[in-house]
Amino acid sequence: MKFLIGEALIGQGYEVAHVDLMIGTKDSPVGLAFANALSQLSAGHTPLLAVLRPNLITKPPAIIVPKVTIKDMQQAELIFGPAQAAVAKAIADAVEEGIIPKEEAENLVIIVSVFIHPKAKDKNKIYYYNYGATKLAIKRAMRGFPDVDTVLWEKDRAFHPLVGRKLTKLWDPPYLQIAFDLTSLNEVINVMKQIPESDHIIYEVGTPLAKRYGAEVILKLREVKPDAFYVLDLKTLDVGKLEARMAADATANAIVISGLAPIKTIIEGIKEADKTGIYAVVDMLGVEDPIKRLEKIKESGYMPNVVELHRAIDVEGEAPPPWHLAKDVKEKFNVLVAVAGGIRPENVPEVLAAGADILIVGRAITRARDVEGAVRKFLRYMKPDTDQFRIMTDF
C-alpha cells in the first residue's frame, strides 16, 4: 500500500498554479477517497477525471478537485479546459519519463487539488503553470520530498508570500534587542521607523511603556514592524500564569519574569509561556546570586528559554559588567543569555566573547540623534540576514 503526498506552486499573477495531490494504491486511503469523490459530489467543487482528450483518461487514473468554488460557466471552462488538460498531460509525461513507474500505473490513483483564481483569464498561462506544478508535485510525492531535515532547516528561514517571515524563535544568535523604555508611543513609533530591517533585531516593550499603554501596545508596534519578535517586559512578580497569558494574547513572543518573584510564580509563568508558544525570560535584576537562583528553578523541572543578566542603570560604574556570568549560565543551564547594562558598540566584542546571545540596548539607540547609524554600529557584529546570500529560487 502506498500513500504519497506532493505539492507545488508555479507561476505568477492571477493564473498562478498551486497543486496539492495524493498518490496511492487502490487499496490505500487515497483509493477510498478517490471512490468517495466520484460518488459524493459537492456543489461548486465537482471532481472530474483528468483526460488527455474526451474518452481518454490517464493511467494512473486521476481526479481533479477545484479548490475555489466554481460560481459560473466561465470558471468551469477554465477547470474543464486548460487545467484538466494540463494535469492529464503532466501525469502521462510523468509515466513516460519514469517518475511514476509504468508497471505501477494500473495499481495507483491520483487526487489532484487545483487552484484557479476567480480573476484568472489567460488560458495559456493556466495550462502551462498547472502542467508544471502537477508534474513537480508528482515528482516530489514519488521522491518523498521534503525530508524531515529539509523542513527543520527551512522552518525558520522560509518566507511565505502572503505572510512574510514571522520570527517565533531565537534560533540564530546573537541578537540585538532594542529596549523601548520611552513612555510616549508616538516617540517609540518614530524611532522604530528609523530602525533598519534585520533578522537579528528584536524589540523589547519596556516596563514603563507597558504600564502606560498596556500589553496590547505590541499590536500598535506590529503596525510598523509586523514580523518582528517582541519581548514584553512586565517584570512579573506575581500571578505568573496570568501575565504570561496576557503577553501571549497581546501577540508578544516573550514575557519577562522577575528573578525575584516566588519560585512558584516563576514556574507558573514558564509553564504558561511554554503552553502558549512564547518564550519565558527570567530577569536577574536585583538577584544577588543568579546561579543559585537558577539552580532553585531547575529543581522544579522547568527552565526559562532566556536568562537576562541585568545591571541596573543606578549602579553602572559600581557593579561588575552583567556579562561576566554569561558562560557559566550557558554551560550549567543550556539557555540563551541576554545581557543588559552598559553595552556600547566599542565593547560588543567583549560581550559576545563572554558568551552573550542577546545584547539589550536602550538609550544608546533610542536616544541617539542618528538612530539608524547607532543601530548599524551594533549590527556590524551580528550575522548576515537569512536571505542576504540566499538564491531565491524554488527547490
Side-chain angles (χ1 to χ4, degrees), residues 54-339:
N55 303 312
L56 185 62
I57 66 170
T58 60
K59 289 297 179 79
I63 280 182
I64 300 169
V65 181
K67 294 182 185 180
V68 177
T69 303
I70 299 174
K71 296 181 177 180
D72 55 45
M73 290 308 297
Q74 184 177 358
Q75 289 178 285
E77 183 182 339
L78 298 179
I79 289 289
F80 283 81
Q84 182 189 44
V87 169
K89 187 63 161 56
I91 293 170
D93 283 349
V95 174
E96 183 180 53
E97 296 170 21
I99 299 170
I100 299 174
K102 184 178 179 181
E103 60 274 14
E104 294 185 24
E106 290 289 353
N107 299 319
L108 298 174
V109 290
I110 305 175
I111 299 175
V112 185
S113 185
V114 172
F115 171 80
I116 302 294
H117 194 286
K119 293 184 179 181
K121 301 292 183 184
D122 192 315
K123 294 181 180 180
N124 287 317
K125 286 184 177 181
I126 291 171
Y127 179 91
Y128 287 108
Y129 290 169
N130 278 277
Y131 170 84
T134 302
K135 194 173 178 182
L136 180 57
I138 292 170
K139 188 179 298 184
R140 288 172 171 174
M142 299 303 293
R143 295 178 180 177
F145 176 89
D147 58 29
V148 175
D149 288 339
T150 299
V151 173
L152 295 181
W153 172 261
E154 287 291 330
K155 69 181 181 67
D156 295 309
R157 297 171 171 84
F159 184 93
H160 192 284
L162 300 181
V163 180
R165 185 189 301 108
K166 302 289 188 184
L167 190 58
T168 57
K169 297 188 69 175
L170 302 179
W171 61 277
D172 192 31
Y175 290 92
L176 172 63
Q177 180 170 317
I178 300 176
F180 289 111
D181 288 323
L182 309 173
T183 56
S184 165
L185 180 56
N186 288 336
E187 189 176 356
V188 170
I189 290 174
N190 180 54
V191 171
M192 287 190 77
K193 288 179 178 179
Q194 299 176 62
I195 296 172
E197 297 295 331
S198 172
D199 294 346
H200 293 87
I201 293 177
I202 62 180
Y203 296 95
E204 175 189 320
V205 175
T207 310
L209 189 65
K211 284 183 176 180
R212 181 165 188 178
Y213 295 100
E216 293 197 351
V217 69
I218 292 173
L219 297 173
K220 292 292 184 181
L221 303 186
R222 286 204 184 278
E223 294 176 8
V224 183
K225 304 280 187 182
D227 298 337
F229 190 101
Y230 288 93
V231 180
L232 182 60
D233 186 6
L234 294 181
K235 289 188 174 61
T236 298
L237 284 164
D238 197 6
V239 291
K241 181 176 182 179
L242 174 62
E243 294 203 354
R245 177 56 65 100
M246 286 170 57
D249 288 346
T251 75
N253 302 103
I255 178 164
V256 178
I257 305 165
S258 174
L260 296 170
I263 292 295
K264 181 175 175 58
T265 297
I266 295 173
I267 299 309
E268 289 299 314
I270 292 172
K271 289 166 62 177
E272 189 68 15
D274 181 67
K275 184 168 73 174
T276 54
I278 67 174
Y279 274 31
V281 181
V282 173
D283 184 353
M284 292 298 170
L285 179 66
V287 176
E288 291 186 7
D289 190 336
I291 299 293
K292 185 178 293 186
R293 192 63 170 164
L294 288 168
E295 287 172 346
K296 189 71 176 175
I297 295 170
K298 189 176 181 180
E299 288 175 5
S300 69
Y302 294 92
M303 284 297 293
N305 305 94
V306 181
V307 172
E308 181 178 336
L309 301 175
H310 192 166
R311 183 177 67 186
I313 294 173
D314 291 342
V315 297
E316 283 186 16
E318 301 173 14
W323 50 88
H324 76 287
L325 286 177
K327 281 187 178 178
D328 287 344
V329 170
K330 290 179 69 171
E331 290 174 1
K332 292 181 179 180
F333 303 104
N334 191 32
V335 294
L336 294 174
V337 174
V339 295

Side-chain angles (χ1 to χ4, degrees), residues 179 343-345 361-371 373-375 378:
I343 299 174
R344 304 285 185 271
V361 180
R363 293 166 297 160
I365 290 174
T366 61
R367 291 297 189 186
R369 291 184 177 181
D370 177 9
V371 172
V375 171
F378 288 97

Side-chain angles (χ1 to χ4, degrees), residues 44-55:
H45 299 272
T46 302
L48 58 150
L49 287 168
V51 298
L52 290 163
R53 58 167 172 76
N55 303 312

